[in-house]
Amino acid sequence: MKGILIAAAMTLATSLAGATSASASPHAAAEPFGPACSSVPASGEGSLTAIADQPVATAASTNPELSTLVTAVKKAGLVDTLNSAKAITVFAPTNDAFAAIPKEDLAGVLADKAALTKILTYHVVDGKKAPSDLTDAQLTTLEGGRLTAKGSGQDYTVNEAKVVCGDVPTANATVYVIDKVLMPE
């Protein structure tokens, strides 16, 4: 289940890669952290080793816990954008995060490409962000809004969402799987 979350996060990141700026804050990825990381396979498809060489959207598609995100990224037409981005950070909501949205509201957003794109690009920031970059930060999203990140050690939040698996590297992104869908203002 947690492996699914990581794959979904990676898919979202790839899909939202509309940003081509490479203003990454380079960092050697440490060991991913958070309770959802424990379900990631040790080897094979969907493992941290396998997804590290894949672009973010492709990597997310291997995670069943991110299937709703992957579906949304595809509906918005963001897969190629995210996969071709040079260096981004994706805050990837889990399936449970999407399930918390009333079904009729979610169906409406999934049917509205412009609204869906706005929401999904609100989950992506330029540059590969290390946990230290999230300690007390205001981040500008690809959508143009702002996210507030706070935390330390292995306990981080982005706006009101908790990071459940963080600092997951893909070929072109760093992924932080979160427990809520972030909504732009």
Side-chain angles (χ1 to χ4, degrees):
M1 178 170 171
K2 290 176 178 135
I4 295 173
L5 292 176
I6 292 175
M10 294 181 183
T11 300
L12 173 60
T14 302
S15 299
L16 300 177
T20 55
S21 171
S23 67
S25 81
H27 77 282
E31 199 63 31
F33 63 87
C37 293
S38 64
S39 67
V40 178
S43 62
E45 183 180 62
S47 70
L48 294 175
T49 303
I51 63 174
D53 294 331
Q54 299 173 345
V56 68
T58 301
S61 69
T62 67
N63 186 330
E65 291 298 319
L66 297 177
S67 63
T68 305
L69 175 61
V70 171
T71 296
V73 168
K74 288 178 182 178
K75 284 188 176 273
L78 295 173
V79 173
D80 290 340
T81 299
L82 290 176
N83 278 342
S84 64
K86 299 297 179 204
I88 56 176
T89 294
V90 175
F91 298 101
T94 65
N95 289 344
D96 288 344
F98 280 100
I101 299 171
K103 288 185 190 267
E104 52 280 348
D105 293 345
L106 182 57
V109 169
L110 290 173
D112 182 343
K113 187 175 179 178
L116 183 59
T117 299
K118 181 175 178 138
I119 292 167
L120 293 175
T121 57
Y122 187 67
H123 289 77
V124 181
V125 299
D126 193 36
K128 290 184 176 184
K129 304 297 183 197
S132 60
D133 297 325
L134 306 180
T135 299
D136 187 16
Q138 292 292 313
L139 306 169
T140 302
T141 70
L142 296 184
E143 177 268 340
R146 304 278 291 170
L147 297 174
T148 300
K150 296 179 184 174
S152 64
Q154 295 189 2
D155 186 23
Y156 291 89
T157 58
V158 179
N159 289 2
E160 64 282 351
K162 182 168 179 46
V163 173
V164 296
C165 184
D167 205 20
V168 178
T170 70
N172 67 329
T174 300
V175 177
Y176 292 86
V177 178
I178 57 176
D179 68 354
K180 292 185 180 172
V181 176
L182 305 172
M183 299 304 284
E185 294 182 19

